[in-house]
Amino acid sequence: DTGVSQDPRHKITKRGQNVTFRCDPISEHNRLYWYRQTLGQGPEFLTYFQNEAQLEKSRLLSDRFSAERPKGSFSTLEIQRTEQGDSAMYLCASSLVEYREGANTQYFGPGTRLTVL
Amino acid sequence: DAKTTQPPSMDCAEGRAANLPCNHSTISGNEYVYWYRQIHSQGPQYIIHGLKNNETNEMASLIITEDRKSSTLILPHATLRDTAVYYCIVRVNFGNEKLTFGTGTRLTIIP
């Protein structure tokens, strides 16, 4: 158990519906990352936060996707008007940024598996 | 980040040492080698990382060649629970810290 939790673990929705996922990082971690993983592929980076600031977004994160981390603790990832191509595992990771050698390891949660019918 | 090359699959007998190779011939001087594994339908699990010295923890050992162009992850006594996809990743430790995953090595432990 890495300490990163995600909710829900599974979500089935119909095309066109909106969905929201939640990630709770390890409590003292100041960075939070979202990744997406499709079948047979490794995870792909979507976006990350330093505290409440969203510092980078991948081109994979279309306008239908939005992520927030309002108080620098938990984060939400919302997908609007879902499409079948959004079906994937959505993974959250967190890390503690420390400016010393060997720090900044990312720890992953169990993921949310989204199925869009 | 530099790219890595791993064999797509490997088998290892239960109880034997599993040696997983990774080639990272274009690694930069400030890039670390990280290893994660992913058991079916779970999130990736951190295993170990290193810069240039060999590293060991309770899960595995990491051997990095002197020129840092390749590394080997060693699971000393493989069990059935070690069956997973293993990812070798290189990344800087400060700045652009996102992980770039390849397709990894699917390790199957044979009873």
Side-chain angles (χ1 to χ4, degrees), chain A residues 12-117:
Chain A
I12 300 174
T13 191
K14 292 182 179 179
R15 189 177 55 182
Q17 297 295 305
N18 299 343
V19 294
T20 299
F21 310 139
R22 177 180 171 123
C23 170
D24 286 90
I26 294 171
S27 61
E28 68 270 23
H29 282 187
N30 49 11
R31 283 214 178 163
L32 187 148
Y33 304 78
W34 286 99
Y35 292 82
R36 182 176 72 183
Q37 185 174 25
T38 53
L39 205 59
Q41 302 298 314
E44 297 174 291
F45 169 79
L46 292 178
T47 188
Y48 84 93
F49 294 83
Q50 167 93 11
N51 299 313
E52 64 273 13
Q54 189 171 17
L55 295 187
E56 185 175 347
K57 292 192 289 186
S58 162
R59 60 179 174 79
L60 294 176
L61 212 67
S62 76
D63 291 346
R64 297 183 298 105
F65 288 69
S66 62
E68 293 183 341
R69 195 182 183 199
K71 297 183 180 179
S73 57
F74 73 91
S75 175
T76 58
L77 178 68
E78 181 184 16
I79 309 174
Q80 296 182 326
R81 304 180 304 282
T82 53
E83 302 173 354
Q84 288 183 324
D86 297 331
S87 294
M89 173 84 87
Y90 290 84
L91 293 158
C92 176
S94 71
S95 69
L96 176 64
V97 174
E98 294 180 304
Y99 293 96
R100 60 177 177 82
E101 292 298 327
N104 309 322
T105 297
Q106 292 181 32
Y107 296 92
F108 283 80
T112 295
R113 182 166 297 282
L114 172 67
T115 302
V116 181
L117 302 176

Side-chain angles (χ1 to χ4, degrees), chain B residues 81-95:
Chain B
R81 287 181 296 180
D82 292 322
T83 293
V85 178
Y86 287 76
Y87 296 99
C88 169
I89 301 164
V90 295
R91 53 156 264 203
V92 296
N93 223 28
F94 309 119

